[in-house]
Amino acid sequence: DIVMTQSPDSLAVSLGERATINCKSSQSVLYSSNNKSYLSWYQQKPGQPPKLLIYWASTRESGVPDRFSGSGSGTDFTLTISSLQAEDVAVYYCQQYYTSWTFGQGTKVEIK
Amino acid sequence: QVQLQESGPGLVKPSQTLSLTCTVSGGSISSGPYYWSWIRQPAGKGLEWIGRIYISGSTNYNPSLKSRVTISVDTSKNQFSLKLSSVTAADTAVYYCARDLGTISKGGFDPWGQGTLVTVSS
């Protein structure tokens, strides 16, 4: 299995400030034939299912605010919230869909 | 738009088989290059992919659960189902069904059902 490790486990950010979440895979999730990294990001609020934010590591899903951005390739990835809003308080997960899909352990984002 | 809804018993006895159904509405389960997946989440913990099915009946399972999992599809009812055998307390979780976008134009899971809590207890 590909193990996905997120850091930090939690972070507290002031409203309007930047939040950065890292995700590392135990092996590359970059498919060489199309140069795409098979990595997605989700947001989960309490009592709700996860919501897809980003796929192909950096493509924002339709309707997702542009303050959310994804970057990285191969084994190292980042989700950035450029200006944290109150409604962004949630747990964020990365997930690889390269093989036998696996998720990171989650990162809890709170307001400082 | 496509919506998914899980249904099934909320309580299962140890050693028995957990059975859940996901009903797809707002679109045909047979349309698009999509798979249909089951994912679970123990209370306060992370997400674990269980497996997926294509409308052809082709399946992929999490290796750690493969010996106990069966996923099937009924296109006439626009449903797909999960069976997990020989359950223990460790299988207690919220179970989600989700559309697996595959790897052609998009990736990841979207949308998701609201989830259903299954408790394994005698």
Side-chain angles (χ1 to χ4, degrees), chain B residues 12-58:
Chain B
V12 181
K13 289 182 166 50
S15 80
Q16 294 191 342
T17 296
L18 176 161
S19 295
L20 295 174
T21 296
C22 182
T23 301
V24 179
S25 60
S28 171
I29 199 171
S30 301
S31 66
Y34 304 126
Y35 287 77
W36 302 90
S37 274
W38 287 97
I39 298 151
R40 68 181 183 180
Q41 184 173 37
K45 296 189 177 180
L47 298 156
E48 180 180 36
W49 175 73
I50 299 170
R52 68 177 189 173
I53 191 165
Y54 193 63
I55 54 164
S56 64
S58 172

mmCIF file of all heavy atoms in Angstrom, chain B residues 12-58:
data_model
loop_
_atom_site.group_PDB
_atom_site.id
_atom_site.type_symbol
_atom_site.label_atom_id
_atom_site.label_comp_id
_atom_site.label_asym_id
_atom_site.label_seq_id
_atom_site.Cartn_x
_atom_site.Cartn_y
_atom_site.Cartn_z
ATOM 1 N N VAL B 12 -25.102 -4.616 13.761
ATOM 2 C CA VAL B 12 -24.776 -5.959 13.275
ATOM 3 C C VAL B 12 -24.054 -6.713 14.387
ATOM 4 O O VAL B 12 -23.202 -6.120 15.072
ATOM 5 C CB VAL B 12 -23.882 -5.896 12.015
ATOM 6 C CG1 VAL B 12 -23.563 -7.301 11.503
ATOM 7 C CG2 VAL B 12 -24.547 -5.074 10.916
ATOM 8 N N LYS B 13 -24.364 -7.974 14.539
ATOM 9 C CA LYS B 13 -23.713 -8.770 15.581
ATOM 10 C C LYS B 13 -22.340 -9.239 15.122
ATOM 11 O O LYS B 13 -22.109 -9.482 13.933
ATOM 12 C CB LYS B 13 -24.588 -9.972 15.943
ATOM 13 C CG LYS B 13 -25.852 -9.639 16.713
ATOM 14 C CD LYS B 13 -26.633 -10.885 17.062
ATOM 15 C CE LYS B 13 -27.705 -10.637 18.103
ATOM 16 N NZ LYS B 13 -28.579 -9.503 17.810
ATOM 17 N N PRO B 14 -21.432 -9.391 16.081
ATOM 18 C CA PRO B 14 -20.093 -9.909 15.733
ATOM 19 C C PRO B 14 -20.209 -11.253 15.022
ATOM 20 O O PRO B 14 -21.081 -12.065 15.340
ATOM 21 C CB PRO B 14 -19.421 -10.055 17.101
ATOM 22 C CG PRO B 14 -20.112 -9.053 17.964
ATOM 23 C CD PRO B 14 -21.541 -9.029 17.507
ATOM 24 N N SER B 15 -19.326 -11.447 14.071
ATOM 25 C CA SER B 15 -19.193 -12.646 13.236
ATOM 26 C C SER B 15 -20.226 -12.687 12.095
ATOM 27 O O SER B 15 -20.113 -13.526 11.196
ATOM 28 C CB SER B 15 -19.286 -13.950 14.050
ATOM 29 O OG SER B 15 -20.617 -14.275 14.342
ATOM 30 N N GLN B 16 -21.202 -11.785 12.127
ATOM 31 C CA GLN B 16 -22.195 -11.768 11.064
ATOM 32 C C GLN B 16 -21.728 -10.924 9.875
ATOM 33 O O GLN B 16 -20.595 -10.436 9.862
ATOM 34 C CB GLN B 16 -23.539 -11.281 11.607
ATOM 35 C CG GLN B 16 -24.146 -12.241 12.620
ATOM 36 C CD GLN B 16 -25.588 -11.915 12.965
ATOM 37 O OE1 GLN B 16 -26.075 -10.810 12.735
ATOM 38 N NE2 GLN B 16 -26.287 -12.904 13.537
ATOM 39 N N THR B 17 -22.599 -10.792 8.881
ATOM 40 C CA THR B 17 -22.267 -10.060 7.672
ATOM 41 C C THR B 17 -22.977 -8.718 7.633
ATOM 42 O O THR B 17 -24.194 -8.648 7.811
ATOM 43 C CB THR B 17 -22.630 -10.879 6.417
ATOM 44 O OG1 THR B 17 -21.833 -12.069 6.377
ATOM 45 C CG2 THR B 17 -22.387 -10.079 5.138
ATOM 46 N N LEU B 18 -22.192 -7.690 7.428
ATOM 47 C CA LEU B 18 -22.711 -6.329 7.273
ATOM 48 C C LEU B 18 -23.151 -6.162 5.819
ATOM 49 O O LEU B 18 -22.384 -6.491 4.881
ATOM 50 C CB LEU B 18 -21.594 -5.353 7.626
ATOM 51 C CG LEU B 18 -21.760 -3.846 7.497
ATOM 52 C CD1 LEU B 18 -20.675 -3.157 8.360
ATOM 53 C CD2 LEU B 18 -21.649 -3.356 6.077
ATOM 54 N N SER B 19 -24.374 -5.659 5.636
ATOM 55 C CA SER B 19 -24.881 -5.453 4.264
ATOM 56 C C SER B 19 -25.437 -4.046 4.121
ATOM 57 O O SER B 19 -26.310 -3.648 4.900
ATOM 58 C CB SER B 19 -25.977 -6.473 3.946
ATOM 59 O OG SER B 19 -25.480 -7.783 3.935
ATOM 60 N N LEU B 20 -24.929 -3.309 3.142
ATOM 61 C CA LEU B 20 -25.389 -1.957 2.885
ATOM 62 C C LEU B 20 -25.676 -1.779 1.393
ATOM 63 O O LEU B 20 -25.046 -2.427 0.549
ATOM 64 C CB LEU B 20 -24.341 -0.926 3.305
ATOM 65 C CG LEU B 20 -24.011 -0.833 4.793
ATOM 66 C CD1 LEU B 20 -22.857 0.128 5.008
ATOM 67 C CD2 LEU B 20 -25.228 -0.413 5.604
ATOM 68 N N THR B 21 -26.601 -0.880 1.108
ATOM 69 C CA THR B 21 -26.936 -0.549 -0.273
ATOM 70 C C THR B 21 -26.803 0.948 -0.479
ATOM 71 O O THR B 21 -27.143 1.737 0.421
ATOM 72 C CB THR B 21 -28.370 -1.001 -0.608
ATOM 73 O OG1 THR B 21 -28.438 -2.419 -0.521
ATOM 74 C CG2 THR B 21 -28.770 -0.566 -2.013
ATOM 75 N N CYS B 22 -26.332 1.331 -1.633
ATOM 76 C CA CYS B 22 -26.234 2.737 -2.011
ATOM 77 C C CYS B 22 -27.130 2.971 -3.223
ATOM 78 O O CYS B 22 -26.972 2.311 -4.265
ATOM 79 C CB CYS B 22 -24.800 3.096 -2.345
ATOM 80 S SG CYS B 22 -24.560 4.840 -2.786
ATOM 81 N N THR B 23 -28.078 3.879 -3.069
ATOM 82 C CA THR B 23 -28.982 4.209 -4.162
ATOM 83 C C THR B 23 -28.546 5.510 -4.818
ATOM 84 O O THR B 23 -28.355 6.525 -4.123
ATOM 85 C CB THR B 23 -30.429 4.341 -3.654
ATOM 86 O OG1 THR B 23 -30.818 3.099 -3.058
ATOM 87 C CG2 THR B 23 -31.369 4.676 -4.787
ATOM 88 N N VAL B 24 -28.392 5.470 -6.119
ATOM 89 C CA VAL B 24 -27.955 6.629 -6.895
ATOM 90 C C VAL B 24 -29.170 7.298 -7.516
ATOM 91 O O VAL B 24 -29.990 6.628 -8.159
ATOM 92 C CB VAL B 24 -26.964 6.205 -7.993
ATOM 93 C CG1 VAL B 24 -26.526 7.408 -8.814
ATOM 94 C CG2 VAL B 24 -25.750 5.513 -7.369
ATOM 95 N N SER B 25 -29.317 8.583 -7.319
ATOM 96 C CA SER B 25 -30.421 9.334 -7.920
ATOM 97 C C SER B 25 -29.887 10.539 -8.667
ATOM 98 O O SER B 25 -28.754 10.971 -8.457
ATOM 99 C CB SER B 25 -31.403 9.792 -6.833
ATOM 100 O OG SER B 25 -30.757 10.616 -5.891
ATOM 101 N N GLY B 26 -30.715 11.060 -9.575
ATOM 102 C CA GLY B 26 -30.303 12.230 -10.338
ATOM 103 C C GLY B 26 -29.437 11.895 -11.538
ATOM 104 O O GLY B 26 -28.923 12.807 -12.193
ATOM 105 N N GLY B 27 -29.252 10.630 -11.795
ATOM 106 C CA GLY B 27 -28.440 10.202 -12.926
ATOM 107 C C GLY B 27 -28.343 8.692 -12.946
ATOM 108 O O GLY B 27 -28.624 8.036 -11.937
ATOM 109 N N SER B 28 -27.919 8.150 -14.071
ATOM 110 C CA SER B 28 -27.814 6.706 -14.191
ATOM 111 C C SER B 28 -26.467 6.205 -13.686
ATOM 112 O O SER B 28 -25.416 6.792 -13.979
ATOM 113 C CB SER B 28 -27.983 6.282 -15.652
ATOM 114 O OG SER B 28 -27.691 4.912 -15.801
ATOM 115 N N ILE B 29 -26.508 5.111 -12.940
ATOM 116 C CA ILE B 29 -25.269 4.497 -12.453
ATOM 117 C C ILE B 29 -24.437 3.980 -13.625
ATOM 118 O O ILE B 29 -23.232 3.760 -13.499
ATOM 119 C CB ILE B 29 -25.605 3.365 -11.448
ATOM 120 C CG1 ILE B 29 -24.394 3.027 -10.577
ATOM 121 C CG2 ILE B 29 -26.132 2.132 -12.186
ATOM 122 C CD1 ILE B 29 -24.713 2.082 -9.427
ATOM 123 N N SER B 30 -25.077 3.824 -14.771
ATOM 124 C CA SER B 30 -24.396 3.276 -15.946
ATOM 125 C C SER B 30 -23.730 4.344 -16.807
ATOM 126 O O SER B 30 -23.055 4.016 -17.783
ATOM 127 C CB SER B 30 -25.391 2.489 -16.808
ATOM 128 O OG SER B 30 -25.965 1.438 -16.075
ATOM 129 N N SER B 31 -23.941 5.612 -16.476
ATOM 130 C CA SER B 31 -23.411 6.680 -17.330
ATOM 131 C C SER B 31 -22.010 7.088 -16.885
ATOM 132 O O SER B 31 -21.687 7.071 -15.705
ATOM 133 C CB SER B 31 -24.330 7.896 -17.290
ATOM 134 O OG SER B 31 -24.346 8.467 -16.012
ATOM 135 N N GLY B 32 -21.205 7.461 -17.857
ATOM 136 C CA GLY B 32 -19.885 8.008 -17.572
ATOM 137 C C GLY B 32 -18.856 6.938 -17.239
ATOM 138 O O GLY B 32 -19.185 5.805 -16.937
ATOM 139 N N PRO B 33 -17.610 7.329 -17.305
ATOM 140 C CA PRO B 33 -16.520 6.389 -17.019
ATOM 141 C C PRO B 33 -16.249 6.312 -15.520
ATOM 142 O O PRO B 33 -15.127 6.498 -15.072
ATOM 143 C CB PRO B 33 -15.342 7.035 -17.758
ATOM 144 C CG PRO B 33 -15.609 8.499 -17.608
ATOM 145 C CD PRO B 33 -17.104 8.657 -17.676
ATOM 146 N N TYR B 34 -17.314 6.036 -14.740
ATOM 147 C CA TYR B 34 -17.175 6.099 -13.301
ATOM 148 C C TYR B 34 -17.193 4.724 -12.644
ATOM 149 O O TYR B 34 -17.846 3.799 -13.120
ATOM 150 C CB TYR B 34 -18.319 6.927 -12.695
ATOM 151 C CG TYR B 34 -18.445 8.317 -13.257
ATOM 152 C CD1 TYR B 34 -19.647 8.767 -13.786
ATOM 153 C CD2 TYR B 34 -17.361 9.181 -13.262
ATOM 154 C CE1 TYR B 34 -19.766 10.042 -14.311
ATOM 155 C CE2 TYR B 34 -17.461 10.463 -13.782
ATOM 156 C CZ TYR B 34 -18.667 10.877 -14.305
ATOM 157 O OH TYR B 34 -18.777 12.144 -14.824
ATOM 158 N N TYR B 35 -16.464 4.664 -11.525
ATOM 159 C CA TYR B 35 -16.596 3.542 -10.624
ATOM 160 C C TYR B 35 -17.468 3.993 -9.447
ATOM 161 O O TYR B 35 -17.738 5.189 -9.279
ATOM 162 C CB TYR B 35 -15.213 3.118 -10.116
ATOM 163 C CG TYR B 35 -14.356 2.417 -11.136
ATOM 164 C CD1 TYR B 35 -13.703 3.124 -12.143
ATOM 165 C CD2 TYR B 35 -14.175 1.037 -11.097
ATOM 166 C CE1 TYR B 35 -12.897 2.486 -13.072
ATOM 167 C CE2 TYR B 35 -13.371 0.379 -12.022
ATOM 168 C CZ TYR B 35 -12.746 1.109 -13.003
ATOM 169 O OH TYR B 35 -11.958 0.476 -13.928
ATOM 170 N N TRP B 36 -17.850 3.008 -8.633
ATOM 171 C CA TRP B 36 -18.699 3.291 -7.478
ATOM 172 C C TRP B 36 -18.052 2.628 -6.266
ATOM 173 O O TRP B 36 -17.822 1.416 -6.267
ATOM 174 C CB TRP B 36 -20.121 2.804 -7.734
ATOM 175 C CG TRP B 36 -20.677 3.457 -8.965
ATOM 176 C CD1 TRP B 36 -20.590 3.001 -10.244
ATOM 177 C CD2 TRP B 36 -21.328 4.736 -9.034
ATOM 178 N NE1 TRP B 36 -21.161 3.916 -11.114
ATOM 179 C CE2 TRP B 36 -21.622 4.983 -10.400
ATOM 180 C CE3 TRP B 36 -21.693 5.692 -8.085
ATOM 181 C CZ2 TRP B 36 -22.269 6.143 -10.826
ATOM 182 C CZ3 TRP B 36 -22.336 6.840 -8.519
ATOM 183 C CH2 TRP B 36 -22.616 7.067 -9.867
ATOM 184 N N SER B 37 -17.753 3.454 -5.265
ATOM 185 C CA SER B 37 -16.901 3.014 -4.157
ATOM 186 C C SER B 37 -17.608 3.022 -2.808
ATOM 187 O O SER B 37 -18.604 3.735 -2.609
ATOM 188 C CB SER B 37 -15.665 3.928 -4.045
ATOM 189 O OG SER B 37 -14.636 3.509 -4.886
ATOM 190 N N TRP B 38 -17.040 2.239 -1.898
ATOM 191 C CA TRP B 38 -17.402 2.272 -0.482
ATOM 192 C C TRP B 38 -16.166 2.705 0.312
ATOM 193 O O TRP B 38 -15.050 2.226 0.054
ATOM 194 C CB TRP B 38 -17.882 0.915 0.001
ATOM 195 C CG TRP B 38 -19.239 0.544 -0.506
ATOM 196 C CD1 TRP B 38 -19.535 -0.242 -1.581
ATOM 197 C CD2 TRP B 38 -20.496 0.957 0.039
ATOM 198 N NE1 TRP B 38 -20.895 -0.342 -1.738
ATOM 199 C CE2 TRP B 38 -21.512 0.382 -0.751
ATOM 200 C CE3 TRP B 38 -20.873 1.748 1.125
ATOM 201 C CZ2 TRP B 38 -22.864 0.567 -0.492
ATOM 202 C CZ3 TRP B 38 -22.226 1.940 1.385
ATOM 203 C CH2 TRP B 38 -23.205 1.362 0.586
ATOM 204 N N ILE B 39 -16.393 3.571 1.276
ATOM 205 C CA ILE B 39 -15.352 4.123 2.135
ATOM 206 C C ILE B 39 -15.910 4.160 3.549
ATOM 207 O O ILE B 39 -17.107 4.391 3.734
ATOM 208 C CB ILE B 39 -14.982 5.552 1.667
ATOM 209 C CG1 ILE B 39 -14.429 5.518 0.244
ATOM 210 C CG2 ILE B 39 -13.976 6.208 2.617
ATOM 211 C CD1 ILE B 39 -14.688 6.776 -0.549
ATOM 212 N N ARG B 40 -15.068 3.915 4.558
ATOM 213 C CA ARG B 40 -15.566 3.964 5.923
ATOM 214 C C ARG B 40 -14.686 4.836 6.800
ATOM 215 O O ARG B 40 -13.531 5.116 6.461
ATOM 216 C CB ARG B 40 -15.674 2.560 6.503
ATOM 217 C CG ARG B 40 -14.352 1.861 6.750
ATOM 218 C CD ARG B 40 -14.608 0.458 7.312
ATOM 219 N NE ARG B 40 -13.366 -0.232 7.627
ATOM 220 C CZ ARG B 40 -13.325 -1.463 8.137
ATOM 221 N NH1 ARG B 40 -14.444 -2.125 8.392
ATOM 222 N NH2 ARG B 40 -12.161 -2.011 8.404
ATOM 223 N N GLN B 41 -15.276 5.243 7.922
ATOM 224 C CA GLN B 41 -14.591 6.147 8.847
ATOM 225 C C GLN B 41 -15.012 5.826 10.275
ATOM 226 O O GLN B 41 -16.118 6.187 10.696
ATOM 227 C CB GLN B 41 -14.918 7.599 8.498
ATOM 228 C CG GLN B 41 -14.184 8.621 9.329
ATOM 229 C CD GLN B 41 -14.416 10.044 8.841
ATOM 230 O OE1 GLN B 41 -15.513 10.400 8.411
ATOM 231 N NE2 GLN B 41 -13.380 10.867 8.892
ATOM 232 N N PRO B 42 -14.150 5.185 11.058
ATOM 233 C CA PRO B 42 -14.457 4.998 12.491
ATOM 234 C C PRO B 42 -14.586 6.350 13.170
ATOM 235 O O PRO B 42 -13.967 7.333 12.741
ATOM 236 C CB PRO B 42 -13.253 4.220 13.003
ATOM 237 C CG PRO B 42 -12.638 3.590 11.783
ATOM 238 C CD PRO B 42 -12.890 4.561 10.672
ATOM 239 N N ALA B 43 -15.343 6.383 14.225
ATOM 240 C CA ALA B 43 -15.603 7.636 14.926
ATOM 241 C C ALA B 43 -14.291 8.314 15.335
ATOM 242 O O ALA B 43 -13.422 7.695 15.954
ATOM 243 C CB ALA B 43 -16.457 7.376 16.165
ATOM 244 N N GLY B 44 -14.169 9.568 14.950
ATOM 245 C CA GLY B 44 -13.000 10.351 15.325
ATOM 246 C C GLY B 44 -11.717 9.971 14.605
ATOM 247 O O GLY B 44 -10.632 10.455 14.973
ATOM 248 N N LYS B 45 -11.826 9.135 13.585
ATOM 249 C CA LYS B 45 -10.623 8.663 12.895
ATOM 250 C C LYS B 45 -10.666 9.013 11.406
ATOM 251 O O LYS B 45 -11.554 9.731 10.945
ATOM 252 C CB LYS B 45 -10.475 7.154 13.101
ATOM 253 C CG LYS B 45 -10.251 6.779 14.559
ATOM 254 C CD LYS B 45 -9.878 5.311 14.705
ATOM 255 C CE LYS B 45 -9.599 4.976 16.154
ATOM 256 N NZ LYS B 45 -9.220 3.547 16.342
ATOM 257 N N GLY B 46 -9.706 8.503 10.685
ATOM 258 C CA GLY B 46 -9.571 8.828 9.276
ATOM 259 C C GLY B 46 -10.390 7.924 8.363
ATOM 260 O O GLY B 46 -11.175 7.099 8.805
ATOM 261 N N LEU B 47 -10.147 8.116 7.069
ATOM 262 C CA LEU B 47 -10.928 7.452 6.032
ATOM 263 C C LEU B 47 -10.208 6.227 5.491
ATOM 264 O O LEU B 47 -8.987 6.244 5.298
ATOM 265 C CB LEU B 47 -11.168 8.439 4.884
ATOM 266 C CG LEU B 47 -11.970 9.690 5.274
ATOM 267 C CD1 LEU B 47 -11.680 10.836 4.323
ATOM 268 C CD2 LEU B 47 -13.460 9.365 5.294
ATOM 269 N N GLU B 48 -10.964 5.167 5.246
ATOM 270 C CA GLU B 48 -10.408 3.935 4.696
ATOM 271 C C GLU B 48 -11.245 3.515 3.492
ATOM 272 O O GLU B 48 -12.448 3.282 3.622
ATOM 273 C CB GLU B 48 -10.392 2.825 5.738
ATOM 274 C CG GLU B 48 -9.813 1.520 5.201
ATOM 275 C CD GLU B 48 -9.786 0.407 6.241
ATOM 276 O OE1 GLU B 48 -10.725 0.342 7.063
ATOM 277 O OE2 GLU B 48 -8.833 -0.387 6.234
ATOM 278 N N TRP B 49 -10.601 3.429 2.335
ATOM 279 C CA TRP B 49 -11.274 2.952 1.129
ATOM 280 C C TRP B 49 -11.475 1.444 1.244
ATOM 281 O O TRP B 49 -10.542 0.709 1.580
ATOM 282 C CB TRP B 49 -10.444 3.300 -0.095
ATOM 283 C CG TRP B 49 -10.969 2.756 -1.385
ATOM 284 C CD1 TRP B 49 -12.065 3.187 -2.083
ATOM 285 C CD2 TRP B 49 -10.407 1.693 -2.147
ATOM 286 N NE1 TRP B 49 -12.217 2.450 -3.223
ATOM 287 C CE2 TRP B 49 -11.212 1.519 -3.299
ATOM 288 C CE3 TRP B 49 -9.305 0.849 -1.985
ATOM 289 C CZ2 TRP B 49 -10.953 0.551 -4.269
ATOM 290 C CZ3 TRP B 49 -9.040 -0.100 -2.953
ATOM 291 C CH2 TRP B 49 -9.861 -0.238 -4.082
ATOM 292 N N ILE B 50 -12.692 0.979 0.959
ATOM 293 C CA ILE B 50 -13.016 -0.442 1.072
ATOM 294 C C ILE B 50 -12.913 -1.142 -0.273
ATOM 295 O O ILE B 50 -12.333 -2.226 -0.389
ATOM 296 C CB ILE B 50 -14.446 -0.617 1.635
ATOM 297 C CG1 ILE B 50 -14.545 0.002 3.032
ATOM 298 C CG2 ILE B 50 -14.827 -2.093 1.666
ATOM 299 C CD1 ILE B 50 -15.974 0.100 3.557
ATOM 300 N N GLY B 51 -13.487 -0.530 -1.288
ATOM 301 C CA GLY B 51 -13.458 -1.139 -2.608
ATOM 302 C C GLY B 51 -14.359 -0.401 -3.569
ATOM 303 O O GLY B 51 -15.054 0.546 -3.195
ATOM 304 N N ARG B 52 -14.364 -0.851 -4.839
ATOM 305 C CA ARG B 52 -15.160 -0.191 -5.851
ATOM 306 C C ARG B 52 -15.607 -1.180 -6.905
ATOM 307 O O ARG B 52 -15.049 -2.275 -7.034
ATOM 308 C CB ARG B 52 -14.355 0.927 -6.502
ATOM 309 C CG ARG B 52 -13.179 0.453 -7.365
ATOM 310 C CD ARG B 52 -12.473 1.618 -8.030
ATOM 311 N NE ARG B 52 -11.485 1.161 -9.009
ATOM 312 C CZ ARG B 52 -10.832 1.976 -9.831
ATOM 313 N NH1 ARG B 52 -11.064 3.282 -9.798
ATOM 314 N NH2 ARG B 52 -9.960 1.501 -10.696
ATOM 315 N N ILE B 53 -16.615 -0.742 -7.683
ATOM 316 C CA ILE B 53 -17.144 -1.584 -8.748
ATOM 317 C C ILE B 53 -17.434 -0.731 -9.967
ATOM 318 O O ILE B 53 -17.808 0.449 -9.850
ATOM 319 C CB ILE B 53 -18.410 -2.337 -8.285
ATOM 320 C CG1 ILE B 53 -18.811 -3.412 -9.298
ATOM 321 C CG2 ILE B 53 -19.572 -1.379 -7.984
ATOM 322 C CD1 ILE B 53 -19.806 -4.431 -8.752
ATOM 323 N N TYR B 54 -17.243 -1.307 -11.136
ATOM 324 C CA TYR B 54 -17.641 -0.682 -12.387
ATOM 325 C C TYR B 54 -18.928 -1.339 -12.832
ATOM 326 O O TYR B 54 -19.259 -2.442 -12.382
ATOM 327 C CB TYR B 54 -16.527 -0.854 -13.424
ATOM 328 C CG TYR B 54 -16.677 0.008 -14.648
ATOM 329 C CD1 TYR B 54 -16.646 1.388 -14.541
ATOM 330 C CD2 TYR B 54 -16.858 -0.563 -15.907
ATOM 331 C CE1 TYR B 54 -16.798 2.181 -15.664
ATOM 332 C CE2 TYR B 54 -17.008 0.224 -17.029
ATOM 333 C CZ TYR B 54 -16.978 1.594 -16.903
ATOM 334 O OH TYR B 54 -17.131 2.384 -18.014
ATOM 335 N N ILE B 55 -19.656 -0.682 -13.741
ATOM 336 C CA ILE B 55 -20.956 -1.225 -14.132
ATOM 337 C C ILE B 55 -20.822 -2.584 -14.810
ATOM 338 O O ILE B 55 -21.780 -3.352 -14.853
ATOM 339 C CB ILE B 55 -21.725 -0.258 -15.038
ATOM 340 C CG1 ILE B 55 -20.885 0.149 -16.253
ATOM 341 C CG2 ILE B 55 -22.176 0.968 -14.251
ATOM 342 C CD1 ILE B 55 -21.684 0.769 -17.353
ATOM 343 N N SER B 56 -19.654 -2.887 -15.307
ATOM 344 C CA SER B 56 -19.433 -4.196 -15.936
ATOM 345 C C SER B 56 -19.398 -5.312 -14.898
ATOM 346 O O SER B 56 -19.459 -6.492 -15.242
ATOM 347 C CB SER B 56 -18.105 -4.184 -16.693
ATOM 348 O OG SER B 56 -17.032 -4.000 -15.788
ATOM 349 N N GLY B 57 -19.261 -4.890 -13.629
ATOM 350 C CA GLY B 57 -19.111 -5.863 -12.546
ATOM 351 C C GLY B 57 -17.671 -6.027 -12.094
ATOM 352 O O GLY B 57 -17.410 -6.719 -11.108
ATOM 353 N N SER B 58 -16.745 -5.395 -12.794
ATOM 354 C CA SER B 58 -15.341 -5.456 -12.410
ATOM 355 C C SER B 58 -15.136 -4.760 -11.064
ATOM 356 O O SER B 58 -15.657 -3.664 -10.839
ATOM 357 C CB SER B 58 -14.498 -4.769 -13.478
ATOM 358 O OG SER B 58 -13.162 -4.629 -13.071
#
